[in-house]
Amino acid sequence: MYLSTGIFQDIAEENFQKMMTCFHSRQKHYPANEIITTYGSQGSRIGIILEGEIMVIRTHYDGRQTILEHLEPGDIFGETLSVIPNSISLIQVISVRPCLVQYIDYQCLIRRCSKACPWHSALVNNALRLISQKAVHLGERLEVLSQRTTREKLICYFSLASFHSHSDTFLLPFSLSTLADYLCVDRSAMMREIRKLKDDHLISIVRRQVTVFFDRSTPSDVRETHC
Amino acid sequence: MYLSTGIFQDIAEENFQKMMTCFHSRQKHYPANEIITTYGSQGSRIGIILEGEIMVIRTHYDGRQTILEHLEPGDIFGETLSVIPNSISLIQVISVRPCLVQYIDYQCLIRRCSKACPWHSALVNNALRLISQKAVHLGERLEVLSQRTTREKLICYFSLASFHSHSDTFLLPFSLSTLADYLCVDRSAMMREIRKLKDDHLISIVRRQVTVFFDRSTPSDVRETHC
DNA sequence: AAAAATCTGTTGCATATACAACATTTTGAT
DNA sequence: ATCAAAATGTTGTATATGCAACAGATTTTT
């Protein structure tokens, strides 16, 4: 199994197996709703999601949960990339649907390779893209959480979701219950604000299908330069 | 000027000038309190802070401000790394103190170099480290903002600050006013919670000097592997 | 098909928070 | 040294939010 746009992009299939060995890489399938890993328990592996859907969830000592990340194919996770030294909360990576994950060793990746393997460079290049993408995702998450009120968080989240789906109408990737955990607010308070948004004719929401009636964010220009 | 642990680490000084040209790289000094850039206006440059201190600030349409990032030498910034498509808010990068910034072109960095310059690989390696570090910082920021109450945000922030300074006592990197913008809460409400934390003997705070009386987070083990 | 579990939607209530306004202290500029 | 600006610290009040508890709808499991 080989994801053409992923970490092994631009690497000839014949080198694939060698690299799998060199970078302690392996692939693993997971059924739905399985604990893939618990932070604190594993070393410097990073995982790249090839198929499926994954959530990184923090469970507080008092039972409250926060959805730290919601990941899809092409996204990556790993303790090394999000070392949050916190002894009182438990951070778990959980499969929402059946998943296929590719692992590589972060230390192997980041170290200067004394053998200067010709493929190392391509791999690092790809990793750079994936990690940049992660930074962008985290930045968007930050944008949502930095909103002061629940209403603003909802508008910000819906606006981003609408932008990403290229449409005014889109499906929520999770239940309203889970959305509250994602926005870090109380569910009932969130339901109240959703009702107000409906009353104000800013959104329409039936089940997980949301339509926004405000302008969604416009993408900034993508400029191209050459090296 | 040349930062040994930065983006040009492990690159011979003699190649330095060539690379500066190849990657459209240049360095620039800024005085304190200057707008370094406004997101939306520039292309795919990323900046690496060599000296000084920088804040990334979002100004809402209603005048409210949020400190999105607080950056120090070795940290990086750039629109490409945090494209938040948002038309109603202004995002500015501002120097807190006199700064020296190194710029390189992100597209140059991320593209596969047809010439396969021997130094490109080393540069990408270094960029990978810097961007990973940024992901970690964003993750920590997320940890703070995902706390539900102002009290929890304060404790989480102080705990992280204490951890990073390897001490129970540390100096805040900015004023209490700015801290409120960083935690995304109202200043007066924050002051009230700080007073409560003092009353509960959990912290002591005189000016910008904070001492925490609860256990700060313990670092997770750093394991080493070889490639 | 029945039962269990989860999700949705709502409400009352106590509390936390935002907002506004103010006095005082500290910092920075001239 | 003087003045202006910013930061600190406080309080009252209206509102938003968290919390608990509940009923009905929907989904999943058995």
Side-chain angles (χ1 to χ4, degrees):
Chain A
M1 177 62 210
Y2 188 91
L3 188 71
S4 61
T5 58
I7 190 79
F8 287 124
Q9 176 182 336
D10 296 326
I11 292 172
E13 186 101 29
E14 67 225 48
N15 290 321
F16 183 61
Q17 283 306 322
K18 289 187 202 163
M19 297 193 63
M20 292 281 278
T21 310
C22 178
F23 289 98
H24 303 148
S25 185
R26 63 198 187 88
Q27 295 186 346
K28 193 169 174 194
H29 282 275
Y30 296 93
N33 303 310
E34 178 142 315
I35 298 172
I36 292 175
T37 185
T38 301
Y39 284 178
S41 69
Q42 79 172 13
S44 63
R45 294 195 309 175
I46 65 173
I48 298 131
I49 303 169
L50 301 182
E51 301 169 5
E53 191 182 342
I54 281 176
M55 294 207 288
V56 183
I57 300 178
R58 187 191 57 211
T59 305
H60 230 251
Y61 64 95
D62 61 5
R64 286 181 316 182
Q65 291 195 324
T66 304
I67 311 300
L68 292 176
E69 300 184 71
H70 176 246
L71 308 174
E72 295 183 330
D75 292 330
I76 62 178
F77 66 87
E79 196 170 342
T80 324
L81 300 173
S82 48
V83 172
I84 298 159
N86 198 329
S87 43
I88 62 166
S89 64
L90 172 74
I91 296 179
Q92 293 176 319
V93 179
I94 294 178
S95 61
V96 177
R97 290 186 290 146
C99 288
L100 176 59
V101 175
Q102 169 105 46
Y103 290 103
I104 61 171
D105 190 275
Y106 182 73
Q107 294 300 329
C108 288
L109 182 73
I110 214 147
R111 255 182 231 291
R112 300 212 56 208
C113 189
S114 52
K115 290 179 287 184
C117 2
W119 48 70
H120 194 156
S121 145
L123 189 74
V124 170
N125 238 305
N126 294 335
L128 182 62
R129 265 190 305 101
L130 294 179
I131 295 188
S132 297
Q133 182 183 315
K134 189 184 189 67
V136 170
H137 283 172
L138 290 175
E140 289 184 353
R141 186 97 175 69
L142 214 69
E143 173 79 2
V144 174
L145 290 190
S146 68
Q147 305 298 321
R148 309 288 172 106
T149 66
T150 302
R151 182 188 178 94
E152 283 172 331
K153 282 178 184 158
L154 282 167
I155 289 175
C156 184
Y157 177 79
F158 289 153
S159 179
L160 276 171
S162 162
F163 169 70
H164 285 133
S165 68
H166 308 288
S167 163
D168 287 343
T169 301
F170 52 90
L171 283 178
L172 294 178
F174 29 55
S175 70
L176 291 177
S177 265
T178 308
L179 179 61
D181 288 340
Y182 186 82
L183 300 181
C184 302
V185 296
D186 178 75
R187 188 187 63 83
S188 69
M190 186 190 79
M191 297 300 283
R192 236 185 318 236
E193 292 302 320
I194 283 181
R195 199 188 328 137
K196 286 186 197 167
L197 286 175
K198 283 200 280 194
D199 292 346
D200 293 347
H201 305 290
L202 286 173
I203 64 165
S204 133
I205 173 168
V206 189
R207 310 271 195 149
R208 289 191 186 182
Q209 182 171 301
V210 181
T211 304
V212 298
F213 300 130
F214 48 86
D215 281 342
R216 66 176 182 276
S217 313
T218 47
S220 40
D221 301 47
V222 176
R223 257 152 290 187
E224 298 262 325
T225 54
H226 290 280
C227 179
Chain B
M1 178 57 211
Y2 188 94
L3 189 71
S4 62
T5 57
I7 190 78
F8 288 123
Q9 174 182 337
D10 297 325
I11 293 171
E13 188 101 29
E14 67 225 48
N15 290 322
F16 184 61
Q17 283 307 321
K18 290 187 204 164
M19 299 193 60
M20 293 280 278
T21 310
C22 178
F23 290 99
H24 303 147
S25 186
R26 64 197 186 86
Q27 295 187 345
K28 193 169 174 194
H29 282 275
Y30 297 93
N33 304 309
E34 179 143 312
I35 298 172
I36 293 175
T37 185
T38 300
Y39 285 178
S41 67
Q42 79 172 15
S44 64
R45 292 195 310 174
I46 64 174
I48 299 130
I49 303 169
L50 301 182
E51 300 169 6
E53 191 181 340
I54 281 176
M55 293 207 289
V56 183
I57 300 178
R58 187 191 58 211
T59 305
H60 231 250
Y61 63 97
D62 61 4
R64 285 180 316 180
Q65 291 195 323
T66 304
I67 311 301
L68 292 176
E69 300 184 70
H70 175 248
L71 308 174
E72 296 183 329
D75 292 330
I76 63 179
F77 65 88
E79 196 170 342
T80 325
L81 301 172
S82 48
V83 171
I84 297 159
N86 198 328
S87 42
I88 62 166
S89 64
L90 173 73
I91 296 179
Q92 292 175 320
V93 179
I94 293 178
S95 61
V96 178
R97 290 185 289 147
C99 288
L100 177 59
V101 175
Q102 169 105 44
Y103 290 102
I104 61 171
D105 189 275
Y106 182 73
Q107 293 301 328
C108 289
L109 182 72
I110 213 146
R111 257 182 231 290
R112 299 212 58 208
C113 187
S114 51
K115 290 180 289 186
C117 4
W119 47 70
H120 194 156
S121 145
L123 189 74
V124 171
N125 238 306
N126 293 336
L128 182 62
R129 266 190 303 104
L130 293 179
I131 295 188
S132 297
Q133 183 183 314
K134 189 185 190 63
V136 170
H137 282 172
L138 290 174
E140 290 184 353
R141 185 96 174 68
L142 219 67
E143 172 80 3
V144 175
L145 289 190
S146 68
Q147 305 297 321
R148 309 287 172 106
T149 66
T150 302
R151 183 188 177 94
E152 283 172 331
K153 282 177 184 160
L154 282 167
I155 289 176
C156 185
Y157 177 79
F158 288 153
S159 179
L160 276 171
S162 162
F163 169 69
H164 285 132
S165 68
H166 309 289
S167 163
D168 287 342
T169 300
F170 52 90
L171 282 179
L172 293 177
F174 28 56
S175 70
L176 291 177
S177 266
T178 308
L179 179 61
D181 288 340
Y182 186 83
L183 300 182
C184 302
V185 295
D186 178 75
R187 188 187 63 83
S188 67
M190 188 191 77
M191 297 298 282
R192 239 190 306 245
E193 292 302 321
I194 284 181
R195 197 183 335 132
K196 286 187 197 167
L197 285 176
K198 282 200 279 194
D199 292 346
D200 293 348
H201 305 290
L202 287 173
I203 64 166
S204 131
I205 172 169
V206 188
R207 310 266 195 159
R208 289 191 185 182
Q209 181 171 302
V210 180
T211 304
V212 298
F213 300 130
F214 47 86
D215 281 341
R216 65 176 182 276
S217 312
T218 45
S220 40
D221 302 44
V222 175
R223 256 153 288 186
E224 300 262 325
T225 54
H226 290 279
C227 178

